[in-house]
Structure formats: structure tokens, C-alpha cells
Coordinates of all heavy atoms in Angstrom, one line a residue:
I10 N 58.5 -2.0 -3.7 CA 59.2 -3.2 -4.1 C 60.5 -3.2 -3.4 O 61.2 -2.2 -3.3 CB 59.5 -3.2 -5.6 CG1 58.2 -3.3 -6.4 CG2 60.3 -4.4 -6.0 CD1 58.4 -3.2 -7.9
Q11 N 60.9 -4.3 -2.8 CA 62.2 -4.5 -2.2 C 62.9 -5.6 -3.0 O 62.4 -6.7 -3.1 CB 62.1 -4.8 -0.7 CG 63.4 -5.0 -0.1 CD 63.2 -5.4 1.4 OE1 62.2 -5.3 1.9 NE2 64.3 -5.9 2.0
I12 N 64.1 -5.4 -3.5 CA 64.9 -6.4 -4.2 C 65.8 -7.0 -3.1 O 66.5 -6.4 -2.4 CB 65.7 -5.8 -5.3 CG1 64.7 -5.2 -6.4 CG2 66.6 -6.9 -6.0 CD1 65.4 -4.4 -7.4
I13 N 65.7 -8.3 -3.1 CA 66.6 -9.1 -2.1 C 68.0 -9.2 -2.6 O 68.2 -9.7 -3.8 CB 66.0 -10.5 -1.8 CG1 64.6 -10.3 -1.3 CG2 66.9 -11.3 -0.9 CD1 63.8 -11.7 -1.1
D14 N 69.0 -8.7 -1.9 CA 70.4 -8.8 -2.3 C 70.9 -10.2 -2.2 O 70.5 -11.0 -1.4 CB 71.2 -7.8 -1.4 CG 70.9 -6.4 -1.6 OD1 70.6 -6.0 -2.7 OD2 71.0 -5.6 -0.6
I15 N 71.9 -10.4 -3.1 CA 72.7 -11.7 -3.0 C 74.1 -11.4 -2.9 O 74.6 -10.3 -3.2 CB 72.4 -12.6 -4.2 CG1 72.8 -11.9 -5.5 CG2 70.9 -13.0 -4.3 CD1 72.9 -12.8 -6.7
D16 N 74.9 -12.3 -2.4 CA 76.3 -12.1 -2.3 C 77.1 -12.9 -3.4 O 76.5 -13.6 -4.1 CB 76.8 -12.4 -0.9 CG 76.6 -13.8 -0.5 OD1 76.6 -14.7 -1.3 OD2 76.4 -14.1 0.7
D17 N 78.4 -12.8 -3.4 CA 79.2 -13.5 -4.4 C 79.1 -15.0 -4.3 O 79.5 -15.7 -5.3 CB 80.7 -13.0 -4.3 CG 80.8 -11.6 -4.7 OD1 80.0 -11.1 -5.4 OD2 81.8 -11.0 -4.3
E18 N 78.7 -15.6 -3.2 CA 78.7 -17.0 -3.0 C 77.3 -17.6 -3.3 O 77.1 -18.8 -3.3 CB 79.1 -17.4 -1.6 CG 80.5 -17.0 -1.3 CD 80.9 -17.4 0.1 OE1 80.1 -18.0 0.9 OE2 82.1 -17.0 0.5
S19 N 76.4 -16.7 -3.7 CA 75.0 -17.2 -4.0 C 74.9 -17.6 -5.4 O 75.7 -17.2 -6.3 CB 74.0 -16.0 -3.8 OG 74.0 -15.6 -2.5
V20 N 74.0 -18.6 -5.7 CA 73.7 -19.0 -7.0 C 72.2 -18.9 -7.2 O 71.4 -19.8 -6.9 CB 74.1 -20.5 -7.2 CG1 73.8 -21.0 -8.6 CG2 75.6 -20.7 -6.9
P21 N 71.8 -17.7 -7.7 CA 70.4 -17.5 -7.8 C 69.7 -18.3 -8.9 O 70.3 -18.5 -9.9 CB 70.3 -16.0 -8.1 CG 71.6 -15.7 -8.8 CD 72.6 -16.6 -8.1
W22 N 68.5 -18.8 -8.6 CA 67.8 -19.5 -9.6 C 66.5 -18.8 -9.9 O 65.8 -19.0 -10.9 CB 67.5 -20.9 -9.2 CG 66.7 -21.0 -7.9 CD1 67.2 -20.8 -6.6 CD2 65.4 -21.4 -7.7 NE1 66.2 -21.0 -5.7 CE2 65.1 -21.4 -6.4 CE3 64.4 -21.8 -8.6 CZ2 63.8 -21.7 -5.9 CZ3 63.1 -22.2 -8.1 CH2 62.9 -22.1 -6.7
R23 N 66.2 -17.7 -9.1 CA 65.0 -16.9 -9.3 C 65.4 -15.5 -8.8 O 66.3 -15.3 -8.0 CB 63.8 -17.3 -8.4 CG 63.3 -18.7 -8.7 CD 62.6 -18.8 -10.0 NE 62.1 -20.1 -10.3 CZ 62.6 -21.0 -11.0 NH1 63.7 -20.8 -11.6 NH2 62.0 -22.2 -11.2
F24 N 64.8 -14.5 -9.5 CA 65.0 -13.1 -9.1 C 63.8 -12.8 -8.1 O 62.7 -13.0 -8.5 CB 65.0 -12.2 -10.3 CG 65.2 -10.7 -9.9 CD1 66.4 -10.3 -9.6 CD2 64.1 -9.9 -9.9 CE1 66.6 -8.9 -9.3 CE2 64.3 -8.5 -9.6 CZ 65.6 -8.0 -9.3
N25 N 64.1 -12.4 -6.9 CA 63.1 -12.3 -5.9 C 62.7 -10.8 -5.7 O 63.6 -10.0 -5.5 CB 63.5 -12.9 -4.6 CG 64.0 -14.3 -4.7 OD1 65.2 -14.6 -4.5 ND2 63.2 -15.2 -5.1
L26 N 61.4 -10.6 -5.7 CA 60.9 -9.2 -5.3 C 59.9 -9.4 -4.1 O 59.2 -10.5 -4.0 CB 60.1 -8.7 -6.5 CG 60.8 -8.4 -7.8 CD1 59.8 -8.0 -8.8 CD2 61.9 -7.4 -7.6
L27 N 59.9 -8.5 -3.2 CA 58.9 -8.5 -2.2 C 57.8 -7.4 -2.5 O 58.2 -6.2 -2.7 CB 59.5 -8.2 -0.8 CG 60.6 -9.2 -0.3 CD1 61.1 -8.8 1.0 CD2 60.0 -10.6 -0.3
I28 N 56.6 -7.8 -2.6 CA 55.5 -6.9 -3.1 C 54.3 -7.1 -2.2 O 53.8 -8.2 -2.0 CB 55.1 -7.3 -4.6 CG1 56.3 -7.2 -5.5 CG2 54.0 -6.4 -5.0 CD1 56.0 -7.7 -6.9
K29 N 53.8 -6.0 -1.8 CA 52.5 -6.0 -1.0 C 51.4 -6.4 -2.0 O 51.5 -6.1 -3.2 CB 52.2 -4.6 -0.5 CG 53.1 -4.1 0.6 CD 52.8 -2.7 1.1 CE 53.7 -2.2 2.1 NZ 53.4 -0.8 2.5
N30 N 50.4 -7.1 -1.5 CA 49.3 -7.5 -2.4 C 49.9 -8.4 -3.5 O 49.4 -8.3 -4.7 CB 48.5 -6.4 -2.9 CG 47.9 -5.5 -1.8 OD1 47.5 -6.0 -0.8 ND2 48.0 -4.2 -1.9
R31 N 50.8 -9.2 -3.2 CA 51.5 -10.1 -4.2 C 50.6 -11.0 -5.0 O 50.7 -11.2 -6.2 CB 52.6 -10.9 -3.5 CG 53.4 -11.7 -4.4 CD 53.2 -13.3 -4.3 NE 52.4 -13.8 -3.3 CZ 52.8 -14.4 -2.2 NH1 54.0 -14.6 -1.9 NH2 51.9 -15.0 -1.4
N32 N 49.6 -11.5 -4.3 CA 48.7 -12.6 -4.9 C 48.0 -12.1 -6.2 O 47.9 -12.8 -7.1 CB 47.7 -13.1 -3.9 CG 48.4 -14.0 -2.9 OD1 49.6 -14.4 -3.0 ND2 47.7 -14.3 -1.8
K33 N 47.5 -10.9 -6.2 CA 46.8 -10.3 -7.3 C 47.8 -10.2 -8.5 O 47.5 -10.6 -9.6 CB 46.3 -8.9 -7.0 CG 45.6 -8.3 -8.1 CD 45.0 -6.9 -7.7 CE 44.3 -6.3 -8.9 NZ 43.9 -4.9 -8.7
I34 N 49.0 -9.8 -8.3 CA 50.0 -9.6 -9.3 C 50.5 -11.0 -9.8 O 50.6 -11.3 -11.0 CB 51.2 -8.8 -8.8 CG1 50.7 -7.3 -8.7 CG2 52.4 -8.9 -9.8 CD1 51.6 -6.4 -8.0
L35 N 50.7 -11.9 -8.8 CA 51.0 -13.3 -9.2 C 50.0 -13.9 -10.1 O 50.4 -14.5 -11.1 CB 51.2 -14.1 -7.9 CG 51.5 -15.6 -8.1 CD1 52.8 -15.9 -8.7 CD2 51.3 -16.3 -6.7
K36 N 48.7 -13.8 -9.8 CA 47.7 -14.4 -10.6 C 47.7 -13.8 -12.0 O 47.5 -14.5 -13.0 CB 46.3 -14.3 -9.9 CG 46.2 -15.2 -8.7 CD 44.9 -14.9 -8.0 CE 44.8 -15.8 -6.7 NZ 43.5 -15.5 -6.0
E37 N 47.8 -12.5 -12.1 CA 47.9 -11.8 -13.4 C 49.0 -12.3 -14.2 O 48.9 -12.6 -15.4 CB 47.9 -10.3 -13.1 CG 47.9 -9.5 -14.4 CD 46.6 -9.4 -15.1 OE1 45.6 -9.6 -14.5 OE2 46.6 -9.2 -16.4
L38 N 50.2 -12.4 -13.6 CA 51.4 -12.9 -14.4 C 51.2 -14.3 -14.8 O 51.5 -14.7 -16.0 CB 52.6 -12.7 -13.5 CG 53.1 -11.2 -13.3 CD1 54.2 -11.2 -12.3 CD2 53.4 -10.5 -14.5
L39 N 50.7 -15.2 -13.9 CA 50.5 -16.6 -14.3 C 49.5 -16.7 -15.4 O 49.6 -17.5 -16.3 CB 50.1 -17.4 -13.1 CG 51.2 -17.7 -12.0 CD1 50.6 -18.3 -10.8 CD2 52.3 -18.5 -12.6
G40 N 48.4 -15.9 -15.3 CA 47.4 -15.9 -16.3 C 47.9 -15.4 -17.7 O 47.3 -15.7 -18.7
N41 N 49.0 -14.7 -17.7 CA 49.7 -14.3 -19.0 C 50.9 -15.2 -19.3 O 51.7 -14.8 -20.1 CB 50.1 -12.8 -18.9 CG 48.9 -11.9 -19.0 OD1 48.5 -11.6 -20.1 ND2 48.3 -11.6 -17.9
N42 N 51.0 -16.3 -18.7 CA 52.0 -17.3 -19.0 C 53.5 -16.9 -18.7 O 54.4 -17.4 -19.3 CB 51.9 -17.8 -20.4 CG 50.6 -18.5 -20.7 OD1 50.2 -19.3 -19.9 ND2 50.0 -18.2 -21.8
Y43 N 53.6 -16.0 -17.7 CA 55.0 -15.7 -17.3 C 55.4 -16.7 -16.3 O 54.6 -17.4 -15.6 CB 55.0 -14.3 -16.6 CG 54.8 -13.2 -17.6 CD1 53.6 -12.5 -17.7 CD2 55.9 -12.8 -18.4 CE1 53.5 -11.4 -18.6 CE2 55.7 -11.8 -19.3 CZ 54.5 -11.1 -19.4 OH 54.4 -10.1 -20.3
K44 N 56.7 -16.9 -16.2 CA 57.4 -17.9 -15.3 C 57.6 -17.2 -14.0 O 58.7 -16.6 -13.8 CB 58.6 -18.4 -16.0 CG 58.4 -19.1 -17.3 CD 59.7 -19.4 -18.0 CE 59.5 -20.0 -19.4 NZ 58.6 -21.1 -19.5
V45 N 56.7 -17.4 -13.1 CA 56.8 -16.8 -11.7 C 56.3 -17.8 -10.7 O 55.5 -18.8 -11.0 CB 55.9 -15.5 -11.6 CG1 56.5 -14.5 -12.6 CG2 54.5 -15.8 -11.9
S46 N 56.6 -17.6 -9.5 CA 56.1 -18.4 -8.4 C 56.1 -17.6 -7.1 O 56.6 -16.4 -7.1 CB 56.9 -19.7 -8.2 OG 58.2 -19.4 -7.6
S47 N 55.6 -18.1 -6.0 CA 55.5 -17.4 -4.8 C 56.0 -18.3 -3.6 O 55.8 -18.1 -2.5 CB 54.1 -17.0 -4.4 OG 53.2 -18.1 -4.4
W48 N 56.8 -19.4 -4.0 CA 57.1 -20.4 -3.0 C 58.3 -19.9 -2.1 O 59.4 -19.5 -2.6 CB 57.5 -21.7 -3.7 CG 57.6 -22.8 -2.7 CD1 56.6 -23.5 -2.1 CD2 58.9 -23.4 -2.3 NE1 57.1 -24.4 -1.3 CE2 58.5 -24.4 -1.4 CE3 60.2 -23.2 -2.5 CZ2 59.4 -25.2 -0.8 CZ3 61.1 -24.0 -1.9 CH2 60.7 -25.0 -1.0
Y49 N 58.1 -19.8 -0.8 CA 59.1 -19.5 0.2 C 58.6 -20.0 1.5 O 58.0 -19.3 2.3 CB 59.3 -17.9 0.2 CG 60.5 -17.6 1.2 CD1 61.8 -17.6 0.7 CD2 60.3 -17.3 2.5 CE1 62.8 -17.2 1.5 CE2 61.3 -17.0 3.3 CZ 62.6 -17.0 2.8 OH 63.6 -16.7 3.6
P50 N 58.9 -21.3 1.8 CA 58.4 -21.8 3.1 C 59.3 -21.4 4.3 O 60.5 -21.2 4.2 CB 58.6 -23.3 2.9 CG 59.8 -23.4 1.9 CD 59.7 -22.2 1.0
P51 N 58.6 -21.1 5.4 CA 59.4 -20.8 6.6 C 60.2 -22.0 7.1 O 59.7 -23.1 6.9 CB 58.4 -20.4 7.6 CG 57.1 -20.9 7.1 CD 57.2 -21.0 5.6
A52 N 61.3 -21.8 7.6 CA 62.2 -22.9 8.0 C 61.5 -23.9 9.0 O 61.8 -25.1 9.0 CB 63.5 -22.4 8.6
D53 N 60.7 -23.4 9.9 CA 60.2 -24.2 11.0 C 59.3 -25.4 10.4 O 59.2 -26.4 11.1 CB 59.4 -23.4 12.0 CG 58.2 -22.8 11.4 OD1 58.3 -21.8 10.6 OD2 57.0 -23.2 11.7
I54 N 58.7 -25.2 9.3 CA 57.8 -26.3 8.8 C 58.6 -27.6 8.4 O 58.0 -28.6 8.3 CB 56.9 -25.9 7.6 CG1 57.7 -25.6 6.4 CG2 56.0 -24.7 8.0 CD1 56.8 -25.4 5.2
F55 N 59.9 -27.4 8.2 CA 60.7 -28.6 7.9 C 61.0 -29.5 9.1 O 61.5 -30.6 9.0 CB 62.0 -28.2 7.2 CG 61.8 -27.6 5.9 CD1 61.9 -26.2 5.7 CD2 61.5 -28.4 4.8 CE1 61.7 -25.7 4.5 CE2 61.3 -27.8 3.5 CZ 61.4 -26.5 3.4
F56 N 60.7 -29.0 10.3 CA 61.0 -29.7 11.5 C 59.8 -30.3 12.2 O 59.8 -31.4 12.6 CB 61.7 -28.8 12.5 CG 63.0 -28.3 12.0 CD1 63.1 -27.0 11.5 CD2 64.1 -29.2 11.9 CE1 64.3 -26.5 11.0 CE2 65.3 -28.7 11.3 CZ 65.4 -27.4 10.9
N57 N 58.7 -29.6 12.2 CA 57.4 -30.1 12.8 C 56.3 -29.1 12.5 O 56.6 -28.0 12.1 CB 57.6 -30.2 14.3 CG 57.3 -31.6 14.8 OD1 56.5 -32.3 14.2 ND2 58.0 -32.0 15.9
S58 N 55.1 -29.5 12.6 CA 54.0 -28.7 12.4 C 53.9 -27.5 13.4 O 54.3 -27.7 14.6 CB 52.7 -29.5 12.5 OG 51.6 -28.6 12.6
R59 N 53.6 -26.3 12.9 CA 53.5 -25.2 13.8 C 52.5 -25.4 15.0 O 52.6 -24.9 16.0 CB 53.0 -23.9 13.1 CG 54.1 -23.4 12.3 CD 53.7 -22.0 11.7 NE 54.9 -21.5 11.0 CZ 54.8 -20.3 10.4 NH1 53.7 -19.6 10.4 NH2 55.9 -19.8 9.9
S60 N 51.5 -26.2 14.7 CA 50.5 -26.5 15.7 C 51.1 -27.4 16.9 O 50.6 -27.3 18.0 CB 49.3 -27.3 15.2 OG 49.7 -28.5 14.7
I61 N 52.2 -28.1 16.6 CA 52.9 -28.8 17.6 C 54.0 -28.0 18.3 O 54.1 -28.0 19.5 CB 53.5 -30.1 17.0 CG1 52.4 -31.0 16.5 CG2 54.4 -30.8 18.0 CD1 52.9 -32.2 15.7
T62 N 54.8 -27.3 17.5 CA 55.9 -26.6 18.1 C 55.6 -25.2 18.6 O 56.2 -24.6 19.4 CB 57.0 -26.4 17.0 OG1 56.5 -25.6 15.9 CG2 57.5 -27.7 16.5
N63 N 54.5 -24.6 18.0 CA 54.1 -23.2 18.4 C 55.2 -22.2 18.1 O 55.3 -21.2 18.7 CB 53.6 -23.1 19.8 CG 52.8 -21.9 20.0 OD1 52.1 -21.4 19.1 ND2 52.8 -21.3 21.2
I64 N 56.1 -22.5 17.1 CA 57.2 -21.6 16.7 C 56.6 -20.5 15.9 O 55.8 -20.7 15.1 CB 58.2 -22.4 15.9 CG1 59.0 -23.4 16.8 CG2 59.2 -21.4 15.3 CD1 59.9 -24.3 16.0
K65 N 57.1 -19.3 16.2 CA 56.7 -18.1 15.4 C 57.8 -17.7 14.6 O 59.0 -17.5 15.1 CB 56.2 -17.0 16.4 CG 55.2 -17.3 17.4 CD 53.8 -17.6 16.7 CE 52.8 -17.8 17.7 NZ 51.9 -18.9 17.5
T66 N 57.6 -17.4 13.3 CA 58.7 -16.9 12.4 C 58.1 -15.7 11.6 O 57.9 -15.8 10.4 CB 59.1 -18.1 11.4 OG1 57.9 -18.5 10.7 CG2 59.7 -19.2 12.2
P67 N 58.0 -14.6 12.3 CA 57.4 -13.4 11.7 C 58.2 -12.9 10.4 O 57.6 -12.5 9.5 CB 57.4 -12.4 12.7 CG 58.3 -12.8 13.8 CD 58.4 -14.3 13.7
K68 N 59.5 -13.0 10.5 CA 60.3 -12.6 9.3 C 60.1 -13.5 8.1 O 59.9 -13.0 7.0 CB 61.8 -12.4 9.6 CG 62.0 -11.2 10.6 CD 63.5 -11.0 10.8 CE 63.6 -9.8 11.8 NZ 65.0 -9.5 12.1
C69 N 60.1 -14.8 8.4 CA 59.8 -15.7 7.3 C 58.4 -15.6 6.7 O 58.2 -15.7 5.5 CB 60.0 -17.2 7.8 SG 61.7 -17.6 8.0
D70 N 57.5 -15.4 7.6 CA 56.1 -15.2 7.2 C 55.9 -13.9 6.4 O 55.2 -13.9 5.4 CB 55.2 -15.1 8.4 CG 55.1 -16.5 9.2 OD1 55.5 -17.5 8.6 OD2 54.7 -16.5 10.3
Y71 N 56.6 -12.9 6.8 CA 56.6 -11.6 6.1 C 57.1 -11.8 4.6 O 56.4 -11.4 3.7 CB 57.5 -10.5 6.8 CG 57.6 -9.2 6.1 CD1 56.7 -8.2 6.3 CD2 58.6 -9.0 5.1 CE1 56.7 -7.0 5.6 CE2 58.7 -7.8 4.4 CZ 57.7 -6.8 4.7 OH 57.8 -5.6 4.1
I72 N 58.2 -12.5 4.5 CA 58.7 -12.8 3.2 C 57.8 -13.7 2.4 O 57.5 -13.4 1.2 CB 60.1 -13.4 3.2 CG1 61.1 -12.4 3.8 CG2 60.6 -13.9 1.9 CD1 62.5 -12.9 4.1
G73 N 57.3 -14.7 3.0 CA 56.4 -15.7 2.4 C 55.1 -15.1 1.9 O 54.6 -15.5 0.9
D74 N 54.7 -14.1 2.5 CA 53.4 -13.4 2.1 C 53.7 -12.4 1.0 O 52.7 -12.0 0.3 CB 52.8 -12.6 3.3 CG 52.2 -13.5 4.3 OD1 52.0 -14.7 4.1 OD2 52.0 -13.0 5.4
R75 N 54.9 -12.0 0.7 CA 55.2 -11.0 -0.3 C 56.1 -11.4 -1.4 O 56.2 -10.6 -2.4 CB 55.8 -9.8 0.5 CG 54.9 -9.0 1.3 CD 55.6 -8.1 2.3 NE 54.6 -7.4 3.2 CZ 54.0 -7.9 4.2 NH1 54.3 -9.2 4.6 NH2 53.2 -7.2 5.0
I76 N 56.7 -12.5 -1.3 CA 57.8 -12.9 -2.3 C 57.1 -13.2 -3.7 O 56.1 -13.8 -3.8 CB 58.6 -14.0 -1.8 CG1 59.9 -14.1 -2.6 CG2 57.9 -15.4 -1.9 CD1 61.1 -14.8 -2.0
L77 N 57.8 -12.7 -4.7 CA 57.5 -13.0 -6.1 C 58.8 -13.4 -6.7 O 59.7 -12.7 -6.8 CB 56.9 -11.8 -6.8 CG 56.5 -12.1 -8.3 CD1 55.3 -13.0 -8.3 CD2 56.1 -10.7 -8.9
N78 N 58.8 -14.7 -7.2 CA 60.0 -15.3 -7.8 C 59.9 -15.2 -9.3 O 59.0 -15.8 -9.9 CB 60.2 -16.7 -7.4 CG 60.2 -16.9 -5.9 OD1 60.9 -16.3 -5.2 ND2 59.3 -17.8 -5.4
L79 N 60.8 -14.5 -9.9 CA 60.8 -14.4 -11.4 C 62.0 -15.3 -11.9 O 63.1 -15.3 -11.4 CB 61.1 -13.0 -11.8 CG 60.2 -11.9 -11.2 CD1 60.6 -10.5 -11.7 CD2 58.8 -12.2 -11.6
W80 N 61.7 -16.1 -12.9 CA 62.7 -17.0 -13.5 C 63.8 -16.1 -14.1 O 63.6 -15.1 -14.7 CB 62.1 -17.8 -14.6 CG 61.6 -19.1 -14.3 CD1 61.9 -20.3 -14.9 CD2 60.6 -19.5 -13.3 NE1 61.2 -21.3 -14.3 CE2 60.4 -20.8 -13.3 CE3 59.9 -18.7 -12.3 CZ2 59.5 -21.5 -12.5 CZ3 59.0 -19.4 -11.5 CH2 58.8 -20.7 -11.6
I81 N 65.1 -16.6 -13.9 CA 66.2 -15.9 -14.5 C 67.2 -16.9 -15.1 O 68.3 -16.6 -15.4 CB 67.0 -15.1 -13.4 CG1 67.5 -15.9 -12.3 CG2 66.2 -13.9 -13.0 CD1 68.4 -15.3 -11.3
N82 N 66.6 -18.0 -15.5 CA 67.5 -19.1 -16.1 C 67.5 -18.9 -17.7 O 67.1 -17.9 -18.2 CB 67.0 -20.5 -15.7 CG 65.5 -20.7 -16.2 OD1 65.0 -20.0 -17.0 ND2 65.0 -21.8 -15.7
E83 N 68.0 -19.9 -18.3 CA 68.2 -19.9 -19.8 C 66.9 -19.8 -20.6 O 66.9 -19.4 -21.8 CB 69.0 -21.1 -20.3 CG 68.2 -22.4 -20.1 CD 68.2 -23.0 -18.7 OE1 68.9 -22.6 -17.9 OE2 67.4 -24.0 -18.5
E84 N 65.8 -20.0 -19.9 CA 64.5 -19.8 -20.6 C 64.1 -18.4 -20.8 O 63.2 -18.1 -21.6 CB 63.4 -20.5 -19.7 CG 63.5 -22.0 -19.6 CD 62.5 -22.5 -18.6 OE1 61.3 -22.4 -19.0 OE2 62.8 -23.0 -17.6
V85 N 64.8 -17.5 -20.1 CA 64.4 -16.1 -20.2 C 65.4 -15.3 -21.0 O 66.6 -15.2 -20.7 CB 64.4 -15.5 -18.7 CG1 64.1 -14.0 -18.8 CG2 63.5 -16.2 -17.9
G86 N 64.9 -14.7 -22.1 CA 65.7 -13.9 -23.0 C 65.3 -12.5 -22.9 O 64.5 -12.1 -22.1
K87 N 65.9 -11.6 -23.8 CA 65.7 -10.2 -23.7 C 64.2 -9.9 -24.0 O 63.6 -9.0 -23.3 CB 66.6 -9.5 -24.7 CG 66.4 -8.0 -24.7 CD 67.3 -7.2 -25.6 CE 67.1 -5.7 -25.6 NZ 65.9 -5.1 -25.0
D88 N 63.6 -10.5 -25.0 CA 62.2 -10.2 -25.3 C 61.3 -10.5 -24.1 O 60.4 -9.8 -23.7 CB 61.7 -11.0 -26.5 CG 62.3 -10.5 -27.8 OD1 62.9 -9.3 -27.8 OD2 62.3 -11.2 -28.8
Y89 N 61.5 -11.7 -23.5 CA 60.7 -12.1 -22.3 C 61.0 -11.1 -21.2 O 60.0 -10.6 -20.5 CB 61.1 -13.5 -21.9 CG 60.4 -13.9 -20.6 CD1 59.2 -14.5 -20.7 CD2 61.0 -13.7 -19.3 CE1 58.6 -14.9 -19.5 CE2 60.4 -14.1 -18.2 CZ 59.1 -14.7 -18.3 OH 58.5 -15.1 -17.1
F90 N 62.2 -10.7 -20.9 CA 62.6 -9.8 -19.9 C 61.9 -8.4 -20.1 O 61.3 -7.9 -19.2 CB 64.1 -9.6 -19.8 CG 64.5 -8.6 -18.7 CD1 64.5 -8.9 -17.4 CD2 64.8 -7.3 -19.1 CE1 64.9 -8.0 -16.4 CE2 65.2 -6.4 -18.2 CZ 65.2 -6.7 -16.8
D91 N 61.9 -7.9 -21.3 CA 61.3 -6.7 -21.6 C 59.8 -6.8 -21.4 O 59.2 -5.8 -20.9 CB 61.6 -6.2 -23.0 CG 63.0 -5.8 -23.3 OD1 63.7 -5.6 -22.3 OD2 63.4 -5.8 -24.4
S92 N 59.2 -7.9 -21.8 CA 57.8 -8.1 -21.7 C 57.3 -8.1 -20.2 O 56.4 -7.4 -19.8 CB 57.3 -9.4 -22.4 OG 56.0 -9.6 -22.2
I93 N 58.0 -8.9 -19.4 CA 57.6 -9.0 -18.0 C 57.9 -7.7 -17.2 O 57.1 -7.3 -16.3 CB 58.2 -10.2 -17.3 CG1 57.4 -10.5 -16.0 CG2 59.7 -10.1 -17.0 CD1 57.8 -11.8 -15.3
T94 N 58.9 -7.0 -17.6 CA 59.2 -5.7 -17.0 C 58.1 -4.7 -17.3 O 57.6 -4.0 -16.4 CB 60.6 -5.2 -17.5 OG1 61.6 -6.1 -17.2 CG2 60.9 -3.8 -17.0
L95 N 57.6 -4.7 -18.5 CA 56.6 -3.8 -18.9 C 55.3 -4.2 -18.1 O 54.6 -3.3 -17.6 CB 56.3 -3.8 -20.4 CG 55.2 -2.9 -20.9 CD1 55.4 -1.5 -20.6 CD2 55.0 -3.1 -22.4
K96 N 55.0 -5.5 -18.1 CA 53.8 -5.9 -17.4 C 53.8 -5.6 -15.9 O 52.9 -5.1 -15.3 CB 53.6 -7.5 -17.6 CG 52.4 -8.0 -17.0 CD 51.2 -7.6 -17.8 CE 49.9 -8.3 -17.4 NZ 48.8 -7.9 -18.1
L97 N 55.0 -5.9 -15.3 CA 55.1 -5.5 -13.8 C 55.0 -4.0 -13.6 O 54.4 -3.6 -12.7 CB 56.4 -6.0 -13.3 CG 56.5 -7.4 -12.8 CD1 57.9 -7.9 -12.5 CD2 55.6 -7.6 -11.6
T98 N 55.6 -3.2 -14.5 CA 55.5 -1.8 -14.4 C 54.1 -1.3 -14.4 O 53.6 -0.5 -13.6 CB 56.4 -1.1 -15.5 OG1 57.7 -1.5 -15.4 CG2 56.3 0.4 -15.4
N99 N 53.3 -1.9 -15.3 CA 51.9 -1.5 -15.4 C 51.1 -2.0 -14.2 O 50.2 -1.3 -13.7 CB 51.3 -2.1 -16.8 CG 51.9 -1.4 -18.0 OD1 52.2 -0.2 -17.9 ND2 51.9 -2.1 -19.1
L100 N 51.4 -3.2 -13.8 CA 50.6 -3.7 -12.6 C 50.9 -3.0 -11.4 O 50.1 -2.8 -10.5 CB 51.0 -5.2 -12.4 CG 50.4 -6.2 -13.5 CD1 51.0 -7.6 -13.3 CD2 48.9 -6.2 -13.4
L101 N 52.2 -2.5 -11.2 CA 52.6 -1.8 -10.0 C 52.4 -0.3 -10.1 O 52.6 0.4 -9.2 CB 54.0 -2.1 -9.7 CG 54.3 -3.6 -9.3 CD1 55.8 -3.9 -9.3 CD2 53.6 -3.9 -8.0
K102 N 52.0 0.1 -11.3 CA 51.8 1.6 -11.6 C 53.1 2.4 -11.3 O 53.0 3.4 -10.6 CB 50.6 2.1 -10.9 CG 49.3 1.4 -11.4 CD 48.1 1.9 -10.7 CE 46.9 1.2 -11.3 NZ 46.0 0.6 -10.5
I103 N 54.2 1.9 -11.7 CA 55.5 2.5 -11.5 C 55.6 3.6 -12.7 O 55.4 3.3 -13.8 CB 56.7 1.6 -11.6 CG1 56.6 0.6 -10.5 CG2 58.0 2.3 -11.5 CD1 57.6 -0.5 -10.5
K104 N 56.0 4.8 -12.3 CA 56.2 5.8 -13.3 C 57.6 6.2 -13.5 O 58.5 6.0 -12.7 CB 55.4 7.0 -13.0 CG 53.9 6.7 -12.8 CD 53.1 7.9 -12.8 CE 51.7 7.4 -12.6 NZ 50.6 8.0 -13.0

């Protein structure tokens, strides 16, 4: 797991983790009604289709394939945080 750092000028709306094999974990968390997403579009798609521009964005693609966004807003309290932490720990087999 790699935690994405933020600076003092950032206003986070999700806590981001980069996880290999993210889709399996994402589906499990969504199936248990956790507030998570995997949305991270590469910047080039906002300008034109990749099939037209042939732009390659390997770093954006790397993040997009691995990002797991966890809600950190007012909907998330201590019980929820403890629950998703335990679930992630079990899914990732962290000891």
C-alpha cells in the first residue's frame, strides 16, 4: 500500500490508497456498503480521445489502475473508520 501525501494547501475529499489488485478489494468493500470508489481519470481524456491524440500517460494509468478512494467526510465516524480499517486489514492480510 502506498499512501498519497497531501500538502497544506490541499483540501482532501477522499483518502487515497494505491493497491495492487484493487478491483477485488473494491468490489468486496462496495459489497459490504463501504463508501469507496476508484475514480481517477488521466488528464489527457479531458482534451481528446486517446485514439485521436495517441497520448501516453503511464503515471496516470498506474494510479488509475490502483487507486482506492476512501470517504473522509462527515459521513465517516469512529465506528465506520474502525470497521473499514479492520476489513481492509483482513483483505490485505496485513499483520
Side-chain angles (χ1 to χ4, degrees):
I10 298 176
Q11 177 184 348
I12 299 173
I13 300 172
D14 292 326
I15 61 170
D16 60 31
D17 291 339
E18 295 179 6
S19 298
V20 180
W22 59 288
R23 301 286 184 260
F24 181 78
N25 308 117
L26 302 172
L27 299 181
I28 301 176
K29 292 180 184 176
N30 302 318
R31 182 252 354 254
N32 289 346
K33 180 180 177 184
I34 291 169
L35 175 68
K36 289 176 185 177
E37 180 73 24
L38 293 172
L39 288 171
N41 285 274
N42 296 316
Y43 287 106
K44 299 173 185 304
V45 297
S46 70
S47 61
W48 192 73
Y49 185 86
D53 64 288
I54 68 168
F55 291 104
F56 299 104
N57 238 328
S58 167
R59 284 186 174 184
S60 63
I61 295 170
T62 62
N63 201 30
I64 292 174
K65 306 290 186 228
T66 57
K68 290 183 181 182
C69 287
D70 294 341
Y71 177 88
I72 293 171
D74 291 342
R75 290 165 180 79
I76 199 162
L77 181 66
N78 306 304
L79 308 177
W80 268 232
I81 57 171
N82 62 10
E83 67 281 349
E84 297 176 61
V85 177
K87 183 178 179 344
D88 290 342
Y89 176 88
F90 177 79
D91 290 345
S92 176
I93 196 169
T94 299
L95 179 61
K96 185 69 172 177
L97 273 170
T98 300
N99 291 332
L100 288 170
L101 296 168
K102 298 181 176 130
I103 298 171
K104 302 195 181 208

